[in-house]
Amino acid sequence: MNKKYFIFLVRGRLNMMKNLLVSVIIPAYNAETYISDCLESVFRQDYKNLEVIIVNDGSKDKTKETIENYIRENRYNAIVINKLNEGVSSARNAGLKVANGDYICFLDSDDALAVNFVSLLIHEMKNSNSDMVVCRRQNVNSKMQKNNAAVIRCNDKYEAKIISSNNAIKMLLNQEITGSSCDKMFCKEIVKSNEFPLGIKYNEDKYFTFLCMLNSKQISLIDTTPYICLSRNDSARHGVKLDDTDYIKVAEMINDKLKNCELSEIAEIHLITMIVYKIRTMMRLNESNFNKKKMFKKIRNKLNQYNTKDLKINRRLRIEIIMIECGYIVYNLFVRVADAILK
């Protein structure tokens, strides 16, 4: 190949990538403590053609003022939506409606991005011609750790694995890929036809991720960690209550979508796993035995609707189902003994 022609091709490809617009959607609720650091990690990206969309979901603290002050003082361009509090799904959907990007990313307001998050994922998206790129995440325990990680470039050298839509869904349901929408980049074509489910507080983005996988031809997995996730007790990831059954609802929605197809069995196993998970976590809550017994019976009845004997369930899950069938007292003892052994 002529050297000049090769250089032209390379430069042309780089310029084409730089012209691609990436929308970053950030829902924020009572995030005044974290939102400035979050936004700083976005505007610090080495890929500059970004459309930053911040959705203030009816915050009761000074989140709105903090966002406005940060953008004004730093002279950044961003789309800011102020709306009534309707939950994170509604906030993300509001961002999707105004997004113009060729690619879409989501970022939680208490998390951050390594400086090359967007450039890494968009490079892989174009290089592999994938509809979605999934990266790994760094989990940090303090605001200082998060901010330190955000100023460091993540390793540009990574291994990528290209998989089909069905294989991606299998990995999602087997929890080999997170249900989060945040450690991913989506092509606009697979996102715009989907929405986050309303009325669900926990695991809501797993269903959205599932729908996007369902609409994809191929998905790329990269083994580098440019998404930085802050673990904190007051985030929406914590505080699940006794009567919360969102994990089961999402699993039921996925199961309904996959009925009568080659993924139907794995979807049903995933649903049963989520039912058992709910019962197990419920037993550990600091609630009265009366309330837990009542909820235990309700969820066990749901479990009994499925014929688990004919499914290819792993040994550990099979034992746990047997313990649940033995009743509240036996299963409660089983959970306590298991927790004591694992400590």
Side-chain angles (χ1 to χ4, degrees):
M1 181 185 287
N2 182 287
K3 189 175 181 181
K4 287 183 179 179
Y5 181 60
F6 176 75
I7 292 171
F8 174 77
L9 278 180
V10 171
R11 285 179 178 169
R13 186 174 182 182
L14 289 173
N15 287 333
M16 180 182 72
M17 284 179 60
K18 287 179 181 178
N19 289 331
L20 292 168
L21 181 65
V22 177
S23 297
V24 182
I25 299 172
I26 308 168
Y29 176 71
N30 290 351
E32 63 174 322
T33 306
Y34 303 95
I35 191 64
S36 294
D37 295 332
C38 171
L39 293 176
E40 184 66 24
S41 78
V42 176
F43 289 110
R44 196 191 283 129
Q45 291 294 299
D46 59 7
Y47 188 92
K48 299 302 181 184
N49 194 19
L50 302 177
E51 177 186 60
V52 181
I53 303 168
I54 311 157
V55 186
N56 173 35
D57 189 37
S59 297
K60 297 176 182 177
D61 63 0
K62 294 183 179 179
T63 296
K64 179 177 180 289
E65 293 82 356
T66 304
I67 293 168
E68 291 172 350
N69 291 338
Y70 178 86
I71 292 172
R72 184 176 61 254
E73 290 170 5
N74 292 282
R75 298 181 180 179
Y76 289 136
N77 291 320
I79 299 170
V80 180
I81 300 171
N82 292 299
K83 60 184 289 297
L84 295 175
N85 177 241
E86 296 173 302
V88 66
S89 287
S90 174
R92 287 181 180 138
N93 288 338
L96 278 174
K97 286 178 181 177
V98 300
N100 299 298
D102 300 289
Y103 300 110
I104 311 288
C105 297
F106 298 93
L107 171 61
D108 284 343
S109 58
D110 52 349
D111 294 339
L113 305 176
V115 292
N116 56 339
F117 172 91
V118 174
S119 59
L120 274 173
L121 271 65
I122 198 170
H123 176 268
E124 178 58 29
M125 185 78 85
K126 295 302 297 178
N127 197 45
S128 63
N129 197 30
S130 293
D131 299 305
M132 182 193 309
V133 176
V134 181
C135 69
R136 293 167 60 193
R137 54 172 60 195
Q138 304 177 49
N139 292 305
V140 296
N141 296 318
S142 71
K143 187 177 176 182
M144 182 179 292
Q145 284 180 320
K146 180 186 72 171
N147 293 341
N148 288 342
V151 297
I152 299 172
R153 287 183 64 84
C154 201
N155 191 355
D156 288 327
K157 296 179 181 179
Y158 59 82
E159 290 187 11
K161 182 179 180 182
I162 313 300
I163 59 175
S164 67
S165 170
N166 278 6
N167 284 335
I169 292 170
K170 287 178 185 177
M171 292 181 73
L172 177 72
L173 300 187
N174 286 329
Q175 300 182 70
E176 298 170 68
I177 294 176
T178 72
S180 172
S181 57
C182 293
D183 50 6
K184 299 169 179 67
M185 180 178 282
F186 304 88
C187 181
K188 69 177 178 182
E189 284 79 13
I190 66 168
V191 168
K192 285 293 188 177
S193 59
N194 297 316
E195 284 191 335
F196 289 85
L198 300 177
I200 294 178
K201 186 176 180 181
Y202 303 103
N203 220 27
E204 75 294 329
D205 44 355
K206 186 172 189 175
Y207 187 67
F208 177 84
T209 298
F210 160 74
L211 291 177
C212 291
M213 287 179 171
L214 204 58
N215 292 340
S216 299
K217 292 180 181 177
Q218 67 178 32
I219 292 144
S220 182
L221 313 179
I222 60 175
D223 66 347
T224 191
T225 55
Y227 190 88
I228 304 154
C229 181
L230 175 64
S231 299
R232 62 187 182 92
N233 292 329
D234 59 334
S235 101
R237 307 179 188 110
H238 300 275
V240 178
K241 297 178 182 178
L242 181 66
D243 57 351
D244 286 324
T245 57
D246 287 349
Y247 286 92
I248 298 174
K249 289 176 184 175
V250 170
E252 287 175 332
M253 291 160 66
I254 292 173
N255 190 50
D256 288 343
K257 277 279 186 181
L258 295 178
K259 277 184 177 176
N260 304 316
C261 74
E262 63 178 287
L263 296 174
S264 58
E265 183 173 0
I266 193 170
E268 193 165 337
I269 292 172
H270 170 254
L271 171 54
I272 290 164
T273 303
M274 291 298 101
I275 294 172
V276 171
Y277 170 78
K278 172 58 189 177
I279 297 174
R280 186 193 318 130
T281 54
M282 179 194 72
M283 302 302 283
R284 294 172 176 147
L285 293 176
N286 186 22
E287 294 276 351
S288 70
N289 277 328
F290 175 81
N291 290 334
K292 287 199 284 189
K293 281 180 182 178
K294 188 177 178 181
M295 197 64 183
F296 176 88
K297 184 178 179 181
K298 179 180 177 181
I299 302 175
R300 187 178 65 171
N301 288 341
K302 186 178 286 289
L303 180 62
N304 290 337
Q305 295 173 15
Y306 300 93
N307 183 11
T308 60
K309 293 179 181 179
D310 296 332
L311 295 173
K312 296 176 182 178
I313 294 174
N314 66 53
R315 184 168 175 267
R316 179 178 174 178
L317 183 59
R318 180 80 65 190
I319 291 171
E320 198 159 358
I321 290 170
I322 292 169
M323 292 296 103
I324 290 170
E325 290 172 349
C326 290
Y328 178 84
I329 295 174
V330 172
Y331 183 68
N332 190 33
L333 179 62
F334 170 80
V335 171
R336 288 175 179 273
V337 170
D339 287 348
I341 292 171
L342 292 173
K343 278 185 180 180

